[in-house]
């Protein structure tokens, strides 16, 4: 059960997404064995599970045993309940025990991502002894070999040395003399996003996962984290776009599931947007008196929605990257207030110019053109400022309520801002037109 | 100039973002040298350049020489023109030549990301000779050591072997006997997103970069790609949110630049949205006759915008991940047509129920309530379908026009759909009310 990483292969998986599970199984069974093995290992756990479910029993057993332990655990996790016990049954006893231990971790924590096969050294070893010891480990149980971790007699992590450093070190020195002692490590229950941040920040190729006693349980390698980073970004993007994240690639998500995922959010937003009709209803008489007021409602509320969606997007991404933390809320608030004010003044100015120009050229807005221009310009400043500030603060509010800040999708912000935008616009209108309409 | 990857350190850079360049330089100069070196290397190229610019000359020289060649090239690229020549001058002659060669590549192509220090072997070497040869290379010029590449007499790439496989192989075999020959490689001008996709798909830790004659120029390691993947996702997210991408972290972007980046898009969208006022103007008489029509405009157009933003977000992300390709446009169009129709029917049904319920309970909409309910329901079906389909197709259209599909931001789609949504809504209204209003 040695884990060997993908060194090569160039099987194109391009069209795989478009095939039915049965076509996939049939194509897979036609591959020559060497290709098939690489191909199988490179599939995502969900694809592996799906493929296994559509293979004959005898082949299923062979392929289940091919996977390294951490990948086997992921594949079993991705399998339907009925297949899980069967797949576990194909493993030999020690492998099954390790896989069952891995299955106990949540999928998105360090323990659920780690590979238990890592290289270890003792601090008192001489470099040439250490290399010889590493050669034995490489042949037996080590998966990714980039660092060797130095453990004390209680298996606690005391140092690290990269294979390059080990190979480059003079044969007569000891491991303790050349190892680094300030090792970045993560707890077995660390969230995968934190693991990704640590790997990226420290340019690490792998990070050791330790238990409460600082004993190394396994390592998380950067290539596994690369998938995590792509998946997390995909989820954030889908949430920002106002969809519940899809677990599968776009073309592989069934149409009913797609409609359910999108419909749930779209329906919720729609119910929220209904408040715009109620809000507009409160100003029905104002519209009846000055129909021209209604013409600018879409422009006004969409400007608030767009500025809110900018602000929320920037803040959510900065939070996901760890650039902005909850304690920065005050800094963000003051920046966004200035930014929103500046943007509002620009749009308000353009809006003012537009109305006065149309009035000058076409006489579009009758006697009330100056008042209308003032109403549009002033409410644009207010609404863009409000949209920007509320868009920027919503992720902080969600986070402090214990929710994922990325749920503050652009459409959600737009909905909030639309309703309040209508109130702002007509309040300004009443104030300006008060004398005229009364 | 040996490249040693970050094995450790846990200096918190958390507050670095909030400091001024002068405070950063002062804090940096107080670090003990060992910590300072790790800290410096872990900074982004832009941060390194910024820090160097604020250090005294003598220290600048020391730190410029500390960097591995590929990182030195990135740092010099990120420096202002005045500093570039100076920094190049600090390197010794062979290093300067390599850095100048790296600077000739675009920042976002494989050549611009690669590290020229990779491990090489000859196919006829015995395994124990190969290990001894690798130890010499490790001490001299190799950066990331995970794979050793096997080159023929013309320095062309003919195989690869991981260090783990090499250490695990029997001493008497030859490299040619244990190497893999189907090596995944990229051209020096490959786009960084393609490099990221290949690394992720094949679970590789590094990928060799070759020239037109298949000679290895260097390697791109996955930890460098991790940064690329995070940056690309950030850019896509910012574009989707309707902002020109920011080059720096949120809190480090100056307020004027932030306003410029956001204002340019916001202004463009605003000018687009002005068409809504013109569109509404065409229906001023209809609104004057039935003010109640105006009340539902925000609900109607935001539903189109939200469904369009969902569709465009899903398609753009699927394109970025390589799941959806240009030739899939027909498949996407048919899926989105069905999806848009289903979502439109759901929202139309809810809208119908809402109006009839309000009418039943409050009598809000007078005699025309049944017609109004029909107008809202029918136009919701049309607008959600239209929003979904145009949101899904816009990225394909942009791509076939040679633009980045991710420029189809959610606010852009919303703007397009808002204008057409108004036309659809009032056209339906005229058709339904024709008899009544005439």
């Amino acid at each position: 059960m040695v884990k060997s990483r993908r060194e090569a292969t160039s099987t194109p998986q391009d069209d795989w997404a478009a095939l039915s599970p049965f076509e996939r199984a049939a194509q897979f069974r036609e591959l020559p064995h060497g290709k098939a093995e690489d191909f199988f290992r490179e599939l995502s756990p969900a694809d592996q599970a799906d493929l296994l479910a559509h293979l004959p029993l005898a082949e299923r057993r062979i392929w289940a045993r091919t996977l390294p332990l951490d990948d086997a655990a992921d594949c079993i996790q991705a399998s339907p309940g009925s297949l899980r016990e069967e797949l576990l049954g194909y493993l030999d006893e020690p492998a099954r025990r390790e896989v069952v231990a891995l299955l106990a971790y949540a999928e998105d924590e360090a323990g659920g991502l780690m590979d238990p096969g890592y290289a270890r050294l003792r601090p008192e070893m001489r470099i040439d002894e250490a290399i010889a010891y590493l050669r034995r480990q490489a042949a037996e149980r080590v998966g990714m070999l980039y660092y060797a971790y130095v453990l004390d007699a209680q298996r606690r992590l005391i140092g690290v040395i990269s294979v390059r450093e080990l190979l480059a070190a003079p044969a007569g020195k000891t491991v303790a003399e050349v190892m680094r002692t300030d090792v970045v490590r993560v707890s077995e229950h660390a969230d995968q996003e934190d693991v990704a941040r640590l790997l990226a920040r420290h340019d690490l190729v792998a990070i050791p996962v330790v238990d409460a006693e600082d004993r190394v349980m396994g390592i998380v390698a950067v290539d596994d984290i690369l998938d995590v980073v792509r998946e997390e970004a995909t989820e954030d993007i889908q949430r920002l776009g106002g969809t519940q994240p899809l677990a599968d690639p776009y073309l592989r998500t069934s149409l009913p599931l797609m409609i359910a995922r999108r419909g749930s959010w779209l329906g919720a937003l729609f119910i929220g947007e209904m408040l715009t009709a109620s809000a507009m209803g409160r100003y029905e008489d104002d519209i009846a008196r000055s129909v021209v007021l209604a013409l600018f409602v879409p422009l006004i509320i969409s400007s608030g929605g767009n500025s809110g969606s900018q602000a929320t997007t920037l803040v959510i991404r900065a939070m996901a990257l760890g650039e902005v933390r909850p304690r920065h809320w005050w800094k963000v608030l003051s920046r966004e207030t200035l930014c929103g004010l500046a943007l509002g003044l620009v749009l308000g100015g353009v809006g003012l110019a537009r109305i006065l120009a149309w009035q000058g050229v076409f006489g579009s807005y009758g006697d009330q053109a100056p008042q209308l221009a003032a109403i549009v310009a002033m409410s644009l400043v207010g609404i863009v400022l409000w949209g920007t500030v509320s868009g920027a603060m919503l992720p902080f509010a969600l986070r402090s309520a214990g929710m994922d800040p990325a749920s503050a999708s652009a459409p959600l912000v737009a909905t909030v801002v639309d309703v309040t935008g209508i109130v702002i616009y007509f309040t300004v209108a009443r104030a300006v037109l008060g004398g005229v309409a009364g």
Side-chain angles (χ1 to χ4, degrees), chain A:
Chain A
M1 271 293 171
V2 167
K3 173 159 193 175
S4 104
R5 290 221 162 219
R6 302 279 48 77
E7 264 74 50
T9 75
S10 49
T11 324
Q13 303 164 344
D14 297 358
D15 285 313
W16 190 251
L19 300 177
S20 78
F22 300 98
E23 290 168 322
R24 287 205 279 270
Q27 275 209 1
F28 177 73
R29 298 181 68 194
E30 277 174 21
L31 290 176
H33 187 83
K35 282 258 181 233
E37 184 169 339
D38 284 341
F39 185 84
F40 184 66
R41 286 185 178 209
E42 285 172 8
L43 291 175
S44 71
D47 282 343
Q48 287 169 343
D50 189 53
L51 182 58
L52 284 181
H54 292 86
L55 287 178
L57 270 182
E59 292 180 34
R60 201 181 286 173
R61 170 195 291 266
I62 295 171
W63 291 112
R65 290 185 172 188
T66 312
L67 290 174
L69 297 187
D70 57 336
D71 294 346
D74 292 341
C75 171
I76 289 173
Q77 194 126 47
S79 298
S82 55
L83 201 57
R84 278 190 206 168
E85 283 304 311
E86 183 191 326
L87 292 177
L88 272 176
Y90 294 148
L91 304 177
D92 55 32
E93 189 47 36
R96 183 159 57 236
R97 264 203 307 273
E98 285 225 56
V99 167
V100 169
L102 291 176
L103 285 172
Y105 290 106
E107 231 182 318
D108 59 354
E109 63 183 10
L113 284 167
M114 74 186 178
D115 177 355
Y118 63 94
R120 59 201 75 188
L121 296 174
R122 296 294 301 274
E124 68 276 10
M125 284 176 163
R126 282 206 331 274
I127 297 298
D128 49 359
E129 287 172 346
I131 293 175
Y133 184 49
L134 216 54
R135 290 186 69 168
R136 283 209 301 284
Q137 293 181 59
E140 280 163 21
R141 61 183 310 286
V142 169
M144 159 132 195
L145 180 57
Y146 189 79
Y147 305 108
Y149 297 95
V150 186
L151 311 184
D152 68 9
Q154 283 76 46
R155 287 182 49 222
R156 282 183 310 231
L157 180 61
I158 57 171
V160 66
I161 180 167
S162 74
V163 172
R164 190 193 59 74
E165 291 169 328
L166 189 68
L167 290 177
K173 287 207 168 187
T174 65
V175 167
E177 287 175 289
V178 293
M179 72 185 186
R180 282 159 163 271
T181 54
D182 49 348
V183 192
V184 180
R185 65 199 76 194
V186 290
S187 129
E188 51 194 334
H189 300 298
D191 183 82
Q192 59 183 10
E193 287 197 61
D194 295 325
V195 178
R197 264 198 287 275
L198 276 173
L199 279 166
R201 171 181 295 178
H202 297 289
D203 281 342
L204 291 166
V205 170
I207 196 165
V209 180
V210 295
D211 66 8
E213 276 78 46
D214 216 19
R215 287 186 303 243
V216 181
M217 312 299 288
I219 56 172
V220 178
V222 69
D223 59 341
D224 292 327
I225 281 295
L226 189 61
D227 298 333
V228 168
V229 167
R230 284 161 65 100
E231 278 165 28
E232 296 268 355
T234 301
E235 280 186 21
D236 282 359
I237 288 174
Q238 292 178 345
R239 278 212 201 86
L240 272 168
T243 310
Q244 263 190 282
L246 308 173
D248 289 317
Y250 173 85
L251 285 177
R252 303 259 287 284
T253 305
S254 75
L255 207 56
L257 184 67
M258 178 83 91
I259 293 171
R261 288 282 155 112
R262 289 159 70 165
S264 53
W265 254 111
L266 211 55
L269 292 168
F270 185 75
I271 290 172
E273 279 286 341
M274 281 180 177
L275 292 174
T276 59
S278 309
M280 292 281 284
R282 287 179 50 196
Y283 305 103
E284 205 173 338
D285 296 342
D286 303 70
I287 298 171
R289 273 197 298 270
S290 315
V291 172
V292 79
L293 278 182
L295 309 190
F296 290 91
V297 168
L299 177 65
I300 297 277
I301 63 175
S302 68
S303 301
N306 289 344
S307 51
S309 126
Q310 283 190 336
T312 215
T313 304
L314 288 173
V315 170
I316 286 173
R317 186 57 184 167
M319 278 185 170
L321 293 176
E323 294 166 8
V324 165
R325 286 152 201 278
R327 64 189 159 78
H328 289 133
W329 74 271
W330 176 250
K331 211 171 196 113
V332 172
L333 178 60
S334 47
R335 279 180 78 100
E336 292 297 317
T337 305
L338 286 172
C339 207
L341 202 60
L343 295 170
L345 287 169
V346 171
L347 296 198
V350 177
L352 190 79
R354 155 74 161 72
I355 293 178
L356 296 179
W358 255 241
Q359 177 65 15
V361 179
F362 310 109
S364 313
Y365 308 115
D367 310 340
Q368 296 189 341
Q371 286 97 326
L372 183 66
I375 292 168
V376 168
M378 283 193 284
S379 40
L380 273 171
V381 177
I383 285 165
V384 170
L385 175 60
W386 162 244
T388 304
V389 170
S390 53
M393 291 296 111
L394 195 58
F396 287 98
L398 289 174
R399 175 165 249 174
S400 69
M403 291 166 70
D404 186 340
S407 334
S409 65
L412 176 63
V413 172
T415 300
V416 172
V417 176
D418 280 356
V419 178
T420 45
I422 289 171
V423 176
I424 294 176
Y425 175 60
F426 283 103
T427 306
V428 172
R430 280 191 182 170
V432 172
L433 295 180
V436 180

